[in-house]
Amino acid sequence: MRTAPTILHLDMDAFFASAEQASKPSLRGKAVVVGGLGPRGVVSTCSYEARVFGVHSAMPMAQARRLAPNAAYLVPRFGLYRHISEQVMGLLRELSPLVEPLSLDEAFVDLEAGETAWDEGSALLAGRKLRDDIRAVTGLTGSVGLAACKMLAKIASEQAKPDGLVLIEPGTERALLAPMPVRILPGVGPATGDHLRRGGISTVGEIAEAGEDELVRLLGKSHGLALYAMALARDERPVVAERDTKSVSVEDTYDVDIHDRVRVRMEVQRLADRCVQRLRGARLSGRTIVLKVRRYDFSTLTRSETLRGPTDDTAVVREAAARLLEAVDTTGGVRLLGVGVTGLADYTQEDLFAQAQAQAQAEAAAEAQAGAAGESEVLGPESAEEVAAEPEPSAERQWRAGHDVRHAEFGHGWVQGSGLGRVTVRFETPDSLPGRVKTFRVDDPGLERAEPLPLVGPVRLPAALGEGEGVG
C-alpha cells in the first residue's frame, strides 16, 4: 500500500449549472437549476445559490420549483458539457496515463504512474496546477482531493468543495475517518447503512471498534472484510484507465402516460433513430438491441434481441425494437421508453439489413399461413417510412429554456422561455455583460437554433449589440 498522497480525485463544482452560469452572464451569482422541465422532470444539477433553498440533485423538479420559485430553470446542453469534459480529461491525461473517469465531471488520477508526484509537496504542486489549468481552459472551477488511496482522495475532494484543494496527510487518515458516518465509505448505501445502525454502528470509528469478525457476521465475509479494511483507511483499489464504452442508449420520460399503442410504436421508432445516430457518432456498431419500458405502475421491463453480427443500420435497429415491443403489454400506459445497443464493435455486418428483411418476410408469411386476421402490429418498411416522414414538432416546442439561438439582427442569445406563440430570448455571450431581453413570434424568420459558444476566448459581437445596447 502506498504511503504518499499521490492519488488525485477531481470533482467539477456544480458542473452543469456552473457551465450555464459561465455562458450566461445574467445568471452568474444566481440560483440555476438544470434538469427535465416537465411535470416528471428531476434536477440534474443545481448551482450553489440554489442549494441554499434546499434544492439538490435527483429532486423532483416540481419540488425544486416550490423551494426556489425565482431560480432559472434550464434544460441540459449535453453537447456543451461533453466538450468541456473532454477538455478537462485532456488536462488529466497530461498528468498521468492512468485516468479513471467516473462521469463527465469526475475522475481519479494516479499521479505516481505519470511521475508527476511522489510526495506531499509534488502532489500539492500538481493539484494546484491542475486547478489553474482547468480555470484557464474552461473558465470553470474544480475541487481536488489528494490522498494515498481512492477512497480518501474522494473524501478530500468533498471537503474541498467548492473550488478548493485538500490533501490528507499520511498518518492522519484514521483520526479523520473515525467521526464520519458510515455512508461515507464506498459500498455503503441506504440498506447497508440501516443494517449497520441496527447493529449499533453509525460511524466509521465504530466499524473499526466492532472488529473484523463482527463485520463479517453482520454483512457476510466479502462485504464485511472490505468495509473493515476501509474503516482502517486501507483501500487497495487501483486507478483503472478509461474503459471502452459498453453500451449506447437513449430514453425519454413522458409528462403524461402514453396509452395509444400506435403512439408507443412511433416513440420506439424515434428512439431507435436517435440511438443509431449516437452509435454512429461514436463510430460504433452493436449486436444486441435492448428495449426498456417503464409502465404506469413504475414496473420496468427490459427485452433484448441479439443479431448475427454488429450493425449501425437504422432499419435493422428499428425492426428489432419493434419486435421486442410486441412482447410487452402496454395496456395500462407507458411513462418511459428507451432503446439501447450493447455488444459494441468498431465494424458493421453489411448483410444484416437483408437478414432483417428476410426475417420480417418470413414472419409475415407465417402469419398469413396461420390465417392471422387484421393488420400486423410490427412496423414493416412502409410503416417505418411513414413514421420517418412524420412532421417536425411545432416551432414553439423547439425553443427549449437555456438553449442557444441566433437572430439575424440581434446576434447570439439563449431562450429564457416560450409559450402562447412567443419565445423570449436574452442576447448575451460568455464574455459580455448581461444582455437585453426581447420577445419574438415562435415562427420569426430571423430566429434560428445555434451552437453553444466557447466559455473561454474572444467572441466577436454583431454590430446590433454594440456599445450602448447593454452588452460590452
Side-chain angles (χ1 to χ4, degrees):
M1 178 177 175
R2 74 179 73 196
T3 57
T6 54
I7 300 296
L8 181 149
H9 181 261
L10 170 71
D11 197 351
M12 299 295 288
D13 300 319
F15 183 43
F16 295 176
S18 294
E20 297 300 339
Q21 289 177 317
S23 66
K24 301 172 172 64
S26 59
L27 298 184
R28 293 170 191 169
K30 298 182 179 178
V32 175
V33 182
V34 180
L37 302 188
R40 292 175 176 166
V42 297
V43 175
S44 295
T45 313
C46 60
S47 67
Y48 287 97
E49 295 84 357
R51 297 179 191 188
V52 172
F53 298 97
V55 181
H56 58 77
S57 299
M59 171 182 285
M61 191 63 76
Q63 182 181 355
R65 288 184 184 276
R66 290 192 295 270
L67 293 172
N70 296 320
Y73 290 87
L74 310 174
V75 295
R77 295 186 295 164
F78 288 111
L80 173 65
Y81 310 149
R82 279 192 290 268
H83 174 68
I84 299 171
S85 176
E86 289 169 1
Q87 292 177 307
V88 172
M89 296 302 166
L91 294 174
L92 297 181
R93 293 187 186 96
E94 291 178 7
L95 295 175
S96 172
L98 285 184
V99 176
E100 182 179 346
L102 305 179
S103 62
L104 289 176
D105 61 339
E106 186 180 2
F108 286 109
V109 184
D110 188 332
L111 299 177
E112 186 176 334
E115 300 182 352
T116 311
W118 49 91
D119 58 13
E120 292 179 40
S122 56
L124 282 171
L125 287 175
R128 289 168 183 156
K129 182 179 185 302
L130 174 64
R131 293 179 61 239
D132 291 342
D133 289 346
I134 289 173
R135 188 186 294 272
V137 171
T138 70
L140 305 180
T141 64
S143 295
V144 169
L146 294 160
C149 65
K150 290 169 71 172
M151 174 189 70
L152 292 170
K154 183 172 176 61
I155 290 172
S157 69
E158 287 295 325
Q159 292 183 326
K161 282 186 169 294
D163 190 20
L165 183 151
V166 168
L167 181 147
I168 297 179
E169 297 181 7
T172 67
E173 297 94 343
R174 290 190 61 177
L176 174 75
L177 286 174
M180 292 184 173
V182 294
R183 290 288 302 276
I184 200 73
L185 299 178
V188 180
T192 301
D194 289 343
H195 195 60
L196 288 171
R197 189 169 58 252
R198 288 194 296 270
I201 297 173
S202 59
T203 68
V204 177
E206 289 170 346
I207 290 179
E209 292 173 3
E212 194 173 80
D213 292 343
E214 177 66 8
L215 266 293
V216 169
R217 186 186 70 81
L218 287 172
L219 303 175
K221 185 174 182 180
S222 177
H223 197 21
L225 292 177
L227 209 57
Y228 180 69
M230 287 185 179
L232 300 180
R234 296 200 298 261
D235 180 10
E236 301 295 339
R237 295 174 301 160
V239 175
V240 180
E242 185 173 4
R243 298 180 176 89
D244 293 336
T245 302
K246 294 183 178 180
S247 65
V248 173
S249 64
V250 295
E251 62 182 43
D252 276 345
T253 300
Y254 303 98
D255 295 341
V256 178
D257 290 349
I258 302 175
H259 292 83
D260 180 56
R261 183 72 174 182
V262 174
R263 168 80 189 285
V264 172
R265 290 200 300 266
M266 291 173 61
E267 288 295 315
V268 168
Q269 298 291 281
R270 183 178 61 82
L271 290 167
D273 292 349
R274 285 172 51 197
C275 184
V276 170
Q277 288 175 1
R278 187 170 295 182
L279 197 68
R280 290 177 175 175
R283 298 182 179 179
L284 295 170
S285 60
R287 296 184 66 236
T288 301
I289 315 303
V290 180
L291 176 71
K292 178 180 177 180
V293 179
R294 181 166 296 149
R295 298 188 293 191
Y296 69 99
D297 58 357
F298 288 90
S299 61
T300 302
L301 305 176
T302 57
R303 298 289 184 268
S304 64
E305 176 181 316
T306 299
L307 308 172
R308 296 182 184 178
T311 184
D312 65 353
D313 191 299
T314 303
V316 174
V317 177
R318 276 178 164 229
E319 295 250 355
R323 287 194 296 273
L324 293 170
L325 180 61
E326 294 309 297
V328 179
D329 179 12
T330 62
T331 306
V334 170
R335 60 186 294 121
L336 177 147
L337 290 168
V339 174
V341 178
T342 66
L344 301 182
D346 57 1
Y347 67 96
T348 60
Q349 186 82 26
E350 298 297 340
D351 65 344
L352 281 177
F353 184 39
Q355 295 173 11
Q357 287 183 314
Q359 183 173 351
Q361 291 170 357
E363 290 174 353
E367 284 187 5
Q369 289 178 356
E375 183 179 356
S376 170
E377 288 191 347
V378 177
L379 289 176
E382 292 184 2
S383 300
E385 290 300 321
E386 291 173 3
V387 172
E390 278 283 309
E392 288 277 344
S394 66
E396 182 175 359
R397 299 182 69 181
Q398 295 180 17
W399 307 122
R400 307 180 70 193
H403 277 203
D404 298 83
V405 295
R406 177 169 292 279
H407 193 274
E409 179 181 358
F410 303 107
H412 191 94
W414 58 278
V415 176
Q416 282 198 324
S418 64
L420 301 177
R422 295 287 185 268
V423 55
T424 301
V425 178
R426 184 181 287 272
F427 291 99
E428 58 187 7
T429 62
D431 65 346
S432 75
L433 295 174
R436 61 179 176 178
V437 175
K438 295 187 74 68
T439 299
F440 307 89
R441 299 192 319 272
V442 293
D443 58 354
D444 188 302
L447 192 65
E448 61 182 7
R449 287 178 288 184
E451 292 297 318
L453 296 175
L455 301 186
V456 175
V459 178
R460 182 177 298 173
L461 301 180
L465 286 179
E467 300 217 353
E469 297 292 346
V471 177

